[in-house]
Coordinates of all heavy atoms in Angstrom, one line a residue:
V848 N 32.3 -21.8 2.8 CA 31.5 -22.3 3.8 C 31.1 -21.1 4.7 O 32.0 -20.4 5.2 CB 32.0 -23.4 4.7 CG1 31.1 -23.8 5.7 CG2 32.4 -24.5 3.8
I849 N 29.9 -20.7 4.9 CA 29.5 -19.7 5.7 C 29.4 -20.1 7.1 O 28.8 -21.1 7.6 CB 28.1 -19.2 5.3 CG1 28.0 -18.8 3.8 CG2 27.5 -18.1 6.2 CD1 26.7 -18.4 3.3
P850 N 30.2 -19.4 7.9 CA 30.3 -19.9 9.3 C 29.0 -19.6 10.1 O 28.2 -18.8 9.6 CB 31.4 -19.0 9.9 CG 31.4 -17.8 8.9 CD 31.1 -18.4 7.6
E851 N 28.8 -20.2 11.2 CA 27.6 -20.2 11.9 C 27.4 -18.8 12.4 O 26.3 -18.3 12.6 CB 27.4 -21.2 13.1 CG 27.5 -22.6 12.6 CD 27.4 -23.5 13.9 OE1 27.4 -23.1 14.9 OE2 27.3 -24.7 13.5
A852 N 28.6 -18.1 12.8 CA 28.4 -16.7 13.3 C 27.9 -15.8 12.3 O 27.5 -14.7 12.8 CB 29.9 -16.3 13.8
S853 N 27.8 -16.1 11.0 CA 27.3 -15.2 10.0 C 25.8 -14.9 10.2 O 25.2 -14.1 9.6 CB 27.5 -15.7 8.6 OG 26.8 -17.0 8.4
C854 N 25.1 -15.8 11.1 CA 23.7 -15.6 11.3 C 23.4 -14.6 12.5 O 22.3 -14.2 12.7 CB 23.1 -17.0 11.6 SG 23.0 -18.0 10.2
S855 N 24.5 -14.3 13.2 CA 24.2 -13.5 14.4 C 23.9 -12.1 13.9 O 24.5 -11.7 12.8 CB 25.5 -13.5 15.3 OG 26.6 -13.2 14.7
T856 N 23.4 -11.3 14.7 CA 23.1 -9.9 14.3 C 24.4 -9.0 14.5 O 25.0 -9.0 15.5 CB 22.0 -9.4 15.3 OG1 20.9 -10.2 15.3 CG2 21.6 -7.9 15.0
P857 N 24.7 -8.4 13.4 CA 25.9 -7.5 13.4 C 25.7 -6.5 14.4 O 24.6 -5.9 14.7 CB 26.0 -7.0 11.9 CG 25.1 -8.0 11.2 CD 24.0 -8.4 12.1
Q858 N 26.8 -5.9 14.8 CA 26.8 -4.8 15.8 C 26.7 -3.5 15.1 O 27.7 -2.7 14.9 CB 28.0 -4.8 16.7 CG 28.1 -6.2 17.6 CD 27.0 -6.3 18.4 OE1 26.5 -5.4 19.1 NE2 26.5 -7.7 18.5
H859 N 25.5 -3.1 14.6 CA 25.3 -1.9 14.0 C 24.0 -1.3 14.6 O 23.4 -1.8 15.5 CB 25.1 -2.0 12.4 CG 26.4 -2.4 11.8 ND1 27.6 -1.7 11.8 CD2 26.6 -3.7 11.2 CE1 28.5 -2.5 11.1 NE2 27.9 -3.7 10.8
D860 N 23.6 -0.2 14.0 CA 22.3 0.4 14.6 C 21.2 -0.6 14.3 O 21.0 -1.1 13.2 CB 22.1 1.6 13.7 CG 20.9 2.4 14.3 OD1 20.9 2.9 15.4 OD2 19.8 2.4 13.5
P861 N 20.5 -0.9 15.3 CA 19.4 -2.0 15.2 C 18.3 -1.6 14.2 O 17.8 -2.4 13.5 CB 18.8 -2.1 16.6 CG 19.2 -0.8 17.3 CD 20.5 -0.4 16.8
V862 N 18.0 -0.3 14.1 CA 17.0 0.2 13.2 C 17.5 -0.2 11.7 O 16.7 -0.7 10.9 CB 16.6 1.6 13.4 CG1 15.6 2.0 12.3 CG2 16.0 1.8 14.8
L863 N 18.7 0.2 11.5 CA 19.2 0.0 10.1 C 19.3 -1.5 9.8 O 19.1 -1.9 8.7 CB 20.6 0.7 9.9 CG 20.7 2.2 10.1 CD1 22.1 2.7 10.0 CD2 19.7 2.8 9.0
D864 N 19.7 -2.3 10.8 CA 19.8 -3.7 10.6 C 18.4 -4.3 10.3 O 18.3 -5.1 9.4 CB 20.3 -4.5 11.8 CG 21.9 -4.4 11.9 OD1 22.4 -4.1 10.8 OD2 22.4 -4.6 12.9
Y865 N 17.5 -3.8 11.0 CA 16.1 -4.4 10.7 C 15.6 -3.9 9.4 O 14.8 -4.7 8.7 CB 15.1 -3.9 11.9 CG 13.8 -4.8 11.8 CD1 13.8 -6.1 12.3 CD2 12.8 -4.2 11.1 CE1 12.7 -6.9 12.2 CE2 11.6 -5.1 11.0 CZ 11.6 -6.3 11.5 OH 10.5 -7.0 11.4
A866 N 15.9 -2.7 9.0 CA 15.4 -2.2 7.7 C 16.1 -3.1 6.5 O 15.4 -3.5 5.6 CB 15.8 -0.8 7.5
Q867 N 17.4 -3.5 6.9 CA 18.0 -4.4 5.8 C 17.3 -5.8 5.8 O 17.0 -6.4 4.8 CB 19.4 -4.5 6.2 CG 20.2 -5.4 5.1 CD 21.8 -5.4 5.5 OE1 22.2 -5.0 6.5 NE2 22.5 -6.1 4.6
N868 N 17.1 -6.3 7.1 CA 16.4 -7.7 7.2 C 15.0 -7.6 6.5 O 14.5 -8.6 5.9 CB 16.2 -8.1 8.5 CG 17.6 -8.4 9.2 OD1 18.5 -8.7 8.4 ND2 17.7 -8.4 10.5
L869 N 14.3 -6.4 6.7 CA 13.0 -6.3 6.1 C 13.1 -6.5 4.5 O 12.3 -7.1 3.9 CB 12.4 -4.9 6.4 CG 11.2 -4.5 5.7 CD1 10.0 -5.4 6.0 CD2 10.7 -3.1 6.0
E870 N 14.1 -5.7 3.9 CA 14.2 -5.9 2.5 C 14.5 -7.3 2.0 O 14.0 -7.8 1.0 CB 15.4 -4.9 1.9 CG 15.0 -3.4 2.3 CD 16.2 -2.5 1.8 OE1 17.2 -3.1 1.4 OE2 16.1 -1.4 1.9
L871 N 15.3 -8.0 2.9 CA 15.7 -9.3 2.5 C 14.5 -10.2 2.6 O 14.2 -11.1 1.8 CB 16.8 -9.8 3.4 CG 18.3 -9.2 3.2 CD1 19.1 -9.7 4.3 CD2 18.7 -9.5 1.8
E872 N 13.7 -10.0 3.7 CA 12.5 -11.0 3.9 C 11.5 -10.6 2.8 O 10.8 -11.6 2.3 CB 11.9 -10.7 5.2 CG 10.8 -11.7 5.5 CD 10.5 -11.6 7.1 OE1 10.8 -10.6 7.8 OE2 9.9 -12.6 7.6
L873 N 11.3 -9.4 2.4 CA 10.3 -9.1 1.3 C 10.8 -9.6 0.0 O 10.0 -10.3 -0.8 CB 10.2 -7.6 1.1 CG 9.4 -6.9 2.3 CD1 9.3 -5.4 2.1 CD2 8.0 -7.4 2.5
A874 N 12.0 -9.6 -0.3 CA 12.6 -10.3 -1.5 C 12.5 -11.8 -1.4 O 12.2 -12.4 -2.5 CB 14.0 -9.8 -1.7
F875 N 12.7 -12.3 -0.3 CA 12.6 -13.7 -0.1 C 11.1 -14.2 -0.3 O 10.9 -15.3 -0.9 CB 13.0 -14.1 1.4 CG 12.9 -15.6 1.8 CD1 13.3 -16.5 0.8 CD2 12.3 -16.0 2.9 CE1 13.2 -17.8 1.1 CE2 12.2 -17.3 3.2 CZ 12.8 -18.2 2.4
I876 N 10.2 -13.4 0.1 CA 8.7 -13.8 -0.1 C 8.4 -13.7 -1.6 O 7.7 -14.5 -2.1 CB 7.7 -12.8 0.6 CG1 7.9 -13.0 2.1 CG2 6.3 -12.9 0.2 CD1 7.2 -12.0 3.0
K877 N 9.0 -12.7 -2.3 CA 8.8 -12.5 -3.8 C 9.3 -13.7 -4.5 O 8.7 -14.3 -5.4 CB 9.4 -11.2 -4.3 CG 9.2 -11.0 -5.7 CD 9.9 -9.7 -6.1 CE 9.7 -9.4 -7.6 NZ 10.2 -8.2 -8.1
Q878 N 10.5 -14.2 -4.0 CA 11.1 -15.4 -4.7 C 10.3 -16.6 -4.4 O 10.1 -17.5 -5.3 CB 12.6 -15.6 -4.2 CG 13.3 -16.8 -4.8 CD 14.6 -17.0 -4.3 OE1 15.2 -16.0 -3.6 NE2 15.3 -18.1 -4.5
S879 N 9.8 -16.8 -3.2 CA 9.0 -17.9 -2.8 C 7.7 -18.0 -3.7 O 7.2 -19.0 -4.1 CB 8.7 -17.9 -1.4 OG 9.8 -18.0 -0.6
K880 N 7.2 -16.8 -3.9 CA 6.0 -16.7 -4.8 C 6.2 -17.2 -6.2 O 5.4 -17.8 -6.8 CB 5.5 -15.2 -4.7 CG 4.3 -15.0 -5.7 CD 3.9 -13.6 -5.7 CE 2.6 -13.4 -6.6 NZ 2.3 -11.8 -6.7
Q881 N 7.4 -16.8 -6.8 CA 7.8 -17.2 -8.0 C 8.0 -18.7 -8.1 O 7.7 -19.3 -9.2 CB 9.0 -16.4 -8.5 CG 8.8 -14.9 -8.6 CD 10.1 -14.2 -9.0 OE1 11.2 -14.8 -8.9 NE2 10.0 -12.9 -9.3
S882 N 8.4 -19.3 -7.0 CA 8.6 -20.8 -7.1 C 7.3 -21.5 -7.0 O 7.2 -22.6 -7.3 CB 9.4 -21.1 -5.8 OG 10.6 -20.6 -5.9
G883 N 6.2 -20.8 -6.7 CA 4.8 -21.5 -6.8 C 4.3 -21.7 -5.5 O 5.0 -21.8 -4.4
A884 N 3.0 -21.9 -5.4 CA 2.3 -22.1 -4.1 C 1.7 -23.5 -4.2 O 1.1 -23.9 -5.3 CB 1.2 -21.1 -3.9
V885 N 1.7 -24.3 -3.1 CA 1.0 -25.5 -3.0 C 0.0 -25.5 -1.8 O 0.4 -24.9 -0.7 CB 2.0 -26.7 -2.8 CG1 1.3 -28.0 -2.6 CG2 2.9 -26.8 -4.0
Y886 N -1.2 -26.0 -2.1 CA -2.2 -26.0 -1.0 C -2.2 -27.4 -0.3 O -2.4 -28.4 -1.0 CB -3.6 -25.7 -1.6 CG -3.8 -24.4 -2.2 CD1 -3.3 -24.0 -3.5 CD2 -4.5 -23.3 -1.4 CE1 -3.5 -22.8 -4.0 CE2 -4.6 -22.1 -1.9 CZ -4.1 -21.8 -3.3 OH -4.2 -20.5 -3.7
L887 N -1.9 -27.3 0.9 CA -1.9 -28.6 1.8 C -3.2 -28.7 2.5 O -3.4 -27.8 3.4 CB -0.7 -28.6 2.7 CG 0.7 -28.3 2.1 CD1 1.7 -28.2 3.1 CD2 1.0 -29.3 1.0
I888 N -4.1 -29.5 2.1 CA -5.5 -29.4 2.6 C -5.8 -30.7 3.4 O -5.5 -31.8 3.1 CB -6.5 -29.4 1.4 CG1 -6.3 -28.1 0.5 CG2 -8.0 -29.4 1.8 CD1 -7.0 -28.1 -0.8
D889 N -6.5 -30.4 4.5 CA -6.8 -31.4 5.5 C -8.2 -31.8 5.2 O -9.1 -31.0 5.1 CB -6.6 -30.8 6.9 CG -7.2 -31.8 8.0 OD1 -7.2 -33.0 7.6 OD2 -7.4 -31.5 9.1
S890 N -8.4 -33.0 4.9 CA -9.8 -33.6 4.6 C -10.0 -34.7 5.7 O -9.9 -35.9 5.3 CB -9.9 -34.1 3.2 OG -9.8 -33.0 2.3
P891 N -10.3 -34.4 6.9 CA -10.4 -35.3 7.9 C -11.7 -36.1 7.8 O -12.7 -35.7 7.2 CB -10.5 -34.5 9.3 CG -11.1 -33.2 8.8 CD -10.6 -33.0 7.5
I892 N -11.6 -37.4 8.3 CA -12.8 -38.2 8.4 C -13.3 -38.2 9.9 O -12.5 -38.6 10.8 CB -12.5 -39.7 8.1 CG1 -12.0 -39.8 6.6 CG2 -13.7 -40.6 8.2 CD1 -11.4 -41.1 6.2
I893 N -14.5 -37.7 10.1 CA -15.0 -37.5 11.3 C -15.9 -38.7 11.8 O -16.8 -39.0 11.1 CB -15.8 -36.2 11.5 CG1 -15.0 -35.0 11.0 CG2 -16.4 -35.9 12.9 CD1 -13.7 -34.8 11.7
K894 N -15.6 -39.3 12.9 CA -16.4 -40.4 13.6 C -16.6 -40.2 15.0 O -15.9 -39.5 15.7 CB -15.7 -41.7 13.3 CG -15.6 -42.1 11.9 CD -15.0 -43.6 11.7 CE -15.0 -44.0 10.3 NZ -14.5 -45.5 10.2
A895 N -17.7 -40.7 15.4 CA -18.1 -40.5 16.9 C -17.3 -41.7 17.6 O -17.0 -42.7 17.1 CB -19.6 -40.8 17.1
R896 N -16.9 -41.3 18.9 CA -16.2 -42.3 19.7 C -17.1 -43.6 19.9 O -18.3 -43.4 20.0 CB -15.8 -41.7 21.0 CG -14.7 -40.6 20.9 CD -14.2 -40.2 22.2 NE -15.2 -39.7 23.2 CZ -15.5 -38.4 23.3 NH1 -14.9 -37.5 22.7 NH2 -16.5 -38.1 24.2
K897 N -16.4 -44.7 20.2 CA -17.1 -45.9 20.4 C -18.1 -45.9 21.6 O -19.0 -46.6 21.6 CB -16.1 -47.0 20.6 CG -15.3 -47.3 19.2 CD -14.4 -48.4 19.4 CE -13.6 -48.7 18.1 NZ -12.7 -49.9 18.2
D898 N -17.7 -45.0 22.7 CA -18.6 -45.0 23.8 C -19.6 -44.0 23.7 O -20.3 -43.6 24.7 CB -17.7 -44.7 25.1 CG -16.9 -43.4 24.9 OD1 -16.8 -42.9 23.7 OD2 -16.3 -42.9 25.8
S899 N -19.8 -43.3 22.5 CA -20.8 -42.3 22.3 C -22.3 -43.0 22.3 O -22.4 -44.2 22.0 CB -20.6 -41.5 21.0 OG -19.4 -40.9 21.0
W900 N -23.3 -42.2 22.6 CA -24.6 -42.7 22.6 C -25.1 -42.9 21.2 O -24.4 -42.4 20.2 CB -25.5 -41.7 23.3 CG -25.3 -40.3 23.1 CD1 -24.3 -39.6 23.4 CD2 -26.2 -39.5 22.3 NE1 -24.5 -38.3 23.0 CE2 -25.6 -38.2 22.4 CE3 -27.4 -39.6 21.7 CZ2 -26.2 -37.1 21.6 CZ3 -27.9 -38.5 21.0 CH2 -27.4 -37.3 21.0
F901 N -26.1 -43.8 20.9 CA -26.4 -44.2 19.7 C -26.8 -43.1 18.6 O -26.4 -43.1 17.5 CB -27.7 -45.2 19.9 CG -28.2 -45.6 18.5 CD1 -27.6 -46.5 17.7 CD2 -29.4 -45.1 18.0 CE1 -28.2 -46.9 16.5 CE2 -30.0 -45.3 16.8 CZ -29.4 -46.3 16.0
F902 N -27.6 -42.2 19.1 CA -28.0 -41.1 18.3 C -26.9 -40.2 17.7 O -26.9 -39.7 16.6 CB -29.1 -40.2 18.8 CG -30.4 -40.9 19.1 CD1 -30.8 -41.5 20.3 CD2 -31.3 -41.1 17.9 CE1 -32.0 -42.1 20.4 CE2 -32.4 -41.8 18.1 CZ -32.9 -42.3 19.3
K903 N -25.9 -40.0 18.6 CA -24.6 -39.3 18.2 C -23.9 -40.1 17.1 O -23.5 -39.4 16.2 CB -23.8 -39.1 19.4 CG -22.5 -38.2 19.1 CD -21.6 -37.9 20.2 CE -20.5 -37.2 19.9 NZ -19.6 -36.9 21.1
K904 N -23.8 -41.3 17.3 CA -23.1 -42.1 16.3 C -23.8 -42.1 14.9 O -23.3 -42.0 13.9 CB -23.0 -43.6 16.6 CG -22.1 -43.9 17.8 CD -21.9 -45.3 18.2 CE -21.0 -45.6 19.3 NZ -21.0 -47.0 19.7
L905 N -25.2 -42.1 15.0 CA -26.1 -42.1 13.9 C -25.9 -40.7 13.1 O -25.8 -40.6 11.9 CB -27.5 -42.3 14.2 CG -28.5 -42.4 13.1 CD1 -28.3 -43.6 12.2 CD2 -29.9 -42.4 13.7
M906 N -25.9 -39.7 13.9 CA -25.8 -38.4 13.3 C -24.4 -38.1 12.7 O -24.3 -37.5 11.5 CB -26.1 -37.3 14.3 CG -27.5 -37.1 14.7 SD -27.9 -35.6 15.6 CE -27.0 -35.9 17.1
I907 N -23.3 -38.4 13.4 CA -22.0 -38.1 13.0 C -21.5 -39.0 11.9 O -20.9 -38.7 10.9 CB -21.0 -38.1 14.2 CG1 -21.5 -37.0 15.3 CG2 -19.6 -37.9 13.8 CD1 -21.5 -35.6 14.7
N908 N -21.6 -40.4 12.2 CA -21.0 -41.4 11.3 C -21.8 -41.5 10.0 O -21.2 -42.0 8.9 CB -21.0 -42.7 12.0 CG -20.1 -42.8 13.2 OD1 -19.3 -41.7 13.4 ND2 -20.2 -43.8 14.0
Y909 N -23.0 -41.1 10.0 CA -23.8 -41.4 8.7 C -24.3 -40.1 8.1 O -23.9 -39.7 7.0 CB -25.0 -42.3 9.0 CG -24.5 -43.7 9.4 CD1 -24.4 -44.0 10.8 CD2 -24.1 -44.6 8.5 CE1 -24.0 -45.2 11.1 CE2 -23.6 -45.9 8.8 CZ -23.6 -46.2 10.2 OH -23.2 -47.4 10.6
F910 N -25.2 -39.3 8.9 CA -25.8 -38.1 8.3 C -24.8 -37.0 8.1 O -24.6 -36.5 7.0 CB -26.9 -37.6 9.3 CG -28.0 -38.6 9.4 CD1 -28.6 -38.8 10.5 CD2 -28.4 -39.3 8.3 CE1 -29.7 -39.6 10.7 CE2 -29.5 -40.3 8.4 CZ -30.2 -40.4 9.7
F911 N -23.9 -36.7 9.1 CA -23.0 -35.6 8.9 C -21.8 -36.0 8.0 O -21.4 -35.2 7.1 CB -22.3 -35.3 10.3 CG -21.3 -34.2 10.2 CD1 -21.7 -33.0 9.9 CD2 -20.0 -34.5 10.3 CE1 -20.8 -31.9 9.8 CE2 -19.0 -33.4 10.3 CZ -19.4 -32.1 10.1
A912 N -21.5 -37.3 7.9 CA -20.5 -37.8 6.9 C -21.1 -37.6 5.5 O -20.4 -37.3 4.6 CB -20.1 -39.2 7.2
F913 N -22.4 -38.0 5.4 CA -23.0 -37.9 4.0 C -23.1 -36.3 3.6 O -22.7 -36.1 2.4 CB -24.5 -38.4 4.1 CG -25.2 -38.3 2.8 CD1 -25.1 -39.0 1.7 CD2 -26.1 -37.2 2.8 CE1 -25.8 -38.8 0.6 CE2 -26.9 -37.0 1.7 CZ -26.7 -37.8 0.5

Side-chain angles (χ1 to χ4, degrees):
V848 178
I849 301 179
E851 294 181 1
S853 64
C854 294
S855 60
T856 304
Q858 299 299 320
H859 297 294
D860 182 72
V862 175
L863 296 178
D864 277 345
Y865 193 82
Q867 182 179 7
N868 290 338
L869 170 63
E870 296 178 0
L871 292 175
E872 190 166 17
L873 292 177
F875 180 43
I876 292 175
K877 182 178 180 180
Q878 179 181 346
S879 299
K880 177 184 176 182
Q881 294 174 350
S882 299
V885 176
Y886 293 80
L887 308 176
I888 301 175
D889 176 19
S890 298
I892 300 175
I893 308 299
K894 291 187 176 181
R896 293 193 300 266
K897 294 182 179 181
D898 58 345
S899 301
W900 42 290
F901 171 76
F902 289 104
K903 182 178 179 180
K904 292 181 179 179
L905 184 64
M906 285 192 296
I907 300 300
N908 296 348
Y909 296 98
F910 296 143
F911 182 68
F913 174 80

